Each structure stands twice: as C-alpha cells, then as structure tokens.
C-alpha cells in the first residue's frame, strides 16, 4: 500500500475512534484520537502535494529526454528531405536543357550534353559533347560540337564530327561533318562540306611537292660534253 493511502486510512481509523470515544464519553480517548486523525490527514495532503510535484518533475525530465532523443531524428529526417529535394552535383552537370516554351537569347558553352526543346537565338558550343535539337526545338545560330542530332529546326552553320538529321529535322545553312546521316523526312537546305577533305587535299599537295623536290636534276652542259666526246 502506498504511503498516501496509508495516511488517509490511518486518519479515518483515528476519526472512527474519536467518534467511539465521544459516544461513550471518554474524553481522553476522544481528544487523542482526534489529534492523531488531524495529524495523519495533514500528512496525507502533504504527501499528496509532494507526490504531484515529483510526478511533474519526472514528466518534465521524460519530456526533455524524449525531445533530446527526437531532435537528432528530426534533424536527420530534414537532412534526408533536403538531400532528396536537392539534386546532386552529377545530376546538375548531366545535361544543359532548354525547356519547351522557353526562348533563350545568347551563346551557350557547355561541358556536358545540350538538349534543346525550346528556342535558342545564339551560338552553341560543346566541342567534345553531344548537342540534341529535339522535336519542335529551334536554333538560330552556329553549332559546334562532337555529335549533333537534329530533330527540330536549325538555321546557321553546323560543325561536328557526326551530324544526324532525323525524320523531323531541318537544317538551313552550311554543315561541316566527318559523318552524315539524313533519315527519311529530314531536310538539308544549304551546303554540305566534309571536314576531312581539306586534310586529304593538303596531304596530296604535300606529296606532290615532295616528289618534285626529290626528282633527279640533269646537267645539260655535262650531257653536251659527253655527246661531243
């Protein structure tokens, strides 16, 4: 039995003795029982007050501990959400994208792939990368890259190792290429120049010059002297 209930039960017991002493007119027993009853009643209320204070303190400590335990969990969850919502560095650098219904005016220089879904007015440079002009994409300007895939519309000069004009692709201008493919429906309006042809011509010219330089030179005077002899 808890002390709180022990005090209240003892107080009731002495109060009962007080009533019995008063009934039988025993003044000494009545006074003694009454005093003890009041004393245990006071102890009961004090103990109850102390118990409430102790319970509040325990609850406060438990709440603080729970908060202390939960704070790292909350912080870790917030960090996870921030990490999920924020793209990583590799994702940010994977592609340069001009979205649909976006008109970009200015030059673009990228170290990664360039995907054009909207409209670009300016030059695009991605020397060692791929540039894709997607369906309904439009580029007004020059494009320099390693691989060029056109399924939209390009107006300007295109310089690339590999150029592919897809079914819906249109090119109006000059293209310089090493490898070219035009699918059915693709349109090329302008000049097409092979990049390696210049180097081949240079090699042929150099070879001809070398042959001329290495050819034996005859001496006309010596020939005449030999003939006279």
């Amino acid at each position: 039995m808890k002390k709180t209930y022990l005090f209240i039960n003892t107080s009731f017991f002495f109060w009962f003795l007080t009533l019995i002493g008063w009934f039988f007119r025993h003044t000494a027993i009545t006074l003694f029982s009454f005093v003890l009853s009041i004393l245990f009643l006071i102890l009961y209320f004090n103990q109850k007050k102390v118990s409430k204070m102790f319970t509040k303190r325990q609850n406060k400590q438990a709440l603080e501990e729970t908060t202390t335990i939960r704070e790292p969990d909350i912080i870790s969850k917030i960090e996870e959400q921030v990490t999920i919502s924020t793209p990583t560095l590799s994702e940010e650098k994977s592609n340069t994208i001009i979205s649909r219904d976006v008109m970009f005016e200015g030059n673009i220089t990228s170290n990664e792939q360039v995907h054009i879904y909207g409209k670009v007015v300016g030059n695009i440079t991605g020397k060692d990368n791929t540039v894709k002009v997607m369906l309904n994409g439009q580029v007004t300007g020059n494009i320099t890259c390693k691989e060029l895939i056109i399924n939209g519309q390009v107006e300007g000069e295109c310089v690339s190792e590999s150029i592919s004009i897809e079914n819906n692709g249109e090119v109006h201008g000059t293209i310089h290429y090493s490898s070219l493919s035009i699918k059915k429906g693709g349109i090329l309006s302008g000049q097409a120049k092979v990049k390696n042809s210049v180097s081949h011509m240079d090699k042929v010219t150099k070879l001809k010059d070398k042959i001329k330089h290495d050819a034996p030179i005859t001496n006309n005077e010596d020939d005449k002297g030999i003939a006279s002899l």
Side-chain angles (χ1 to χ4, degrees), residues 173-208:
T174 304
I175 62 173
H176 301 267
Y177 63 91
S178 298
S179 174
L180 174 64
S181 71
I182 302 176
K183 293 185 179 181
K184 185 178 180 180
I187 297 173
L188 172 59
S189 176
Q191 295 181 347
K193 297 180 180 180
V194 181
K195 291 176 64 177
N196 292 337
S197 63
V198 177
S199 61
H200 287 320
M201 291 298 293
D202 291 340
K203 290 180 180 179
V204 172
T205 304
K206 290 179 181 179
L207 181 60
K208 288 181 178 180

Side-chain angles (χ1 to χ4, degrees), residues 108-125:
I108 298 174
T109 302
S110 177
N111 294 325
E112 301 295 334
Q113 293 189 15
V114 180
H115 294 177
I116 307 299
Y117 292 90
K119 186 175 181 180
V120 175
V121 179
N123 301 328
I124 300 174
T125 303

Side-chain angles (χ1 to χ4, degrees), residues 17-158:
L17 286 180
T18 300
L19 293 177
I20 293 174
W22 179 77
F23 181 77
F24 289 103
R25 298 182 184 279
H26 293 290
T27 307
I29 295 175
T30 302
L31 291 175
F32 180 75
S33 299
F34 179 75
V35 170
L36 289 177
S37 176
I38 297 299
L39 178 63
F40 279 102
L41 188 64
I42 293 170
L43 291 174
Y44 165 73
F45 285 111
N46 288 334
Q47 183 67 25
K48 191 174 182 181
K49 185 177 180 180
V50 171
S51 178
K52 283 184 178 180
M53 291 176 63
F54 183 73
T55 303
K56 286 182 179 180
R57 184 175 296 177
Q58 282 185 335
N59 292 335
K60 186 177 180 180
Q61 290 178 353
L63 182 61
E64 289 177 354
E65 290 177 357
T66 305
T67 305
T68 306
I69 294 171
R70 287 182 179 179
E71 280 180 356
D73 296 336
I74 295 171
I75 293 171
S76 62
K77 288 182 180 179
I78 293 172
E79 289 178 351
E80 289 177 359
Q81 292 177 356
V82 170
T83 304
I84 292 171
S85 60
T86 304
T88 61
L89 188 62
S90 60
E91 289 175 349
E92 289 178 350
K93 287 189 174 182
S94 60
N95 292 319
T96 299
I97 299 175
I98 304 299
S99 303
R100 297 182 186 275
D101 301 327
V102 173
M103 180 177 178
F104 180 84
E105 294 184 2
N107 299 329
I108 298 174
T109 302
S110 177
N111 294 325
E112 301 295 334
Q113 293 189 15
V114 180
H115 294 177
I116 307 299
Y117 292 90
K119 186 175 181 180
V120 175
V121 179
N123 301 328
I124 300 174
T125 303
K127 291 184 178 180
D128 297 327
N129 301 292
T130 301
V131 175
K132 295 182 180 180
V133 182
M134 313 303 286
L135 183 64
N136 298 324
Q138 297 180 18
V139 176
T140 303
N142 302 329
I143 301 176
T144 304
C145 61
K146 185 176 181 180
E147 182 183 9
L148 177 58
I149 300 172
I150 301 170
N151 201 28
Q153 184 175 349
V154 176
E155 295 183 7
E157 184 178 12
C158 302

Side-chain angles (χ1 to χ4, degrees), residues 6-20 33 36-37 40:
L6 179 63
F7 289 149
I8 190 67
N9 291 333
T10 306
S11 176
F12 285 148
F13 173 74
F14 283 111
W15 179 255
F16 181 71
L17 286 180
T18 300
L19 293 177
I20 293 174
S33 299
L36 289 177
S37 176
F40 279 102

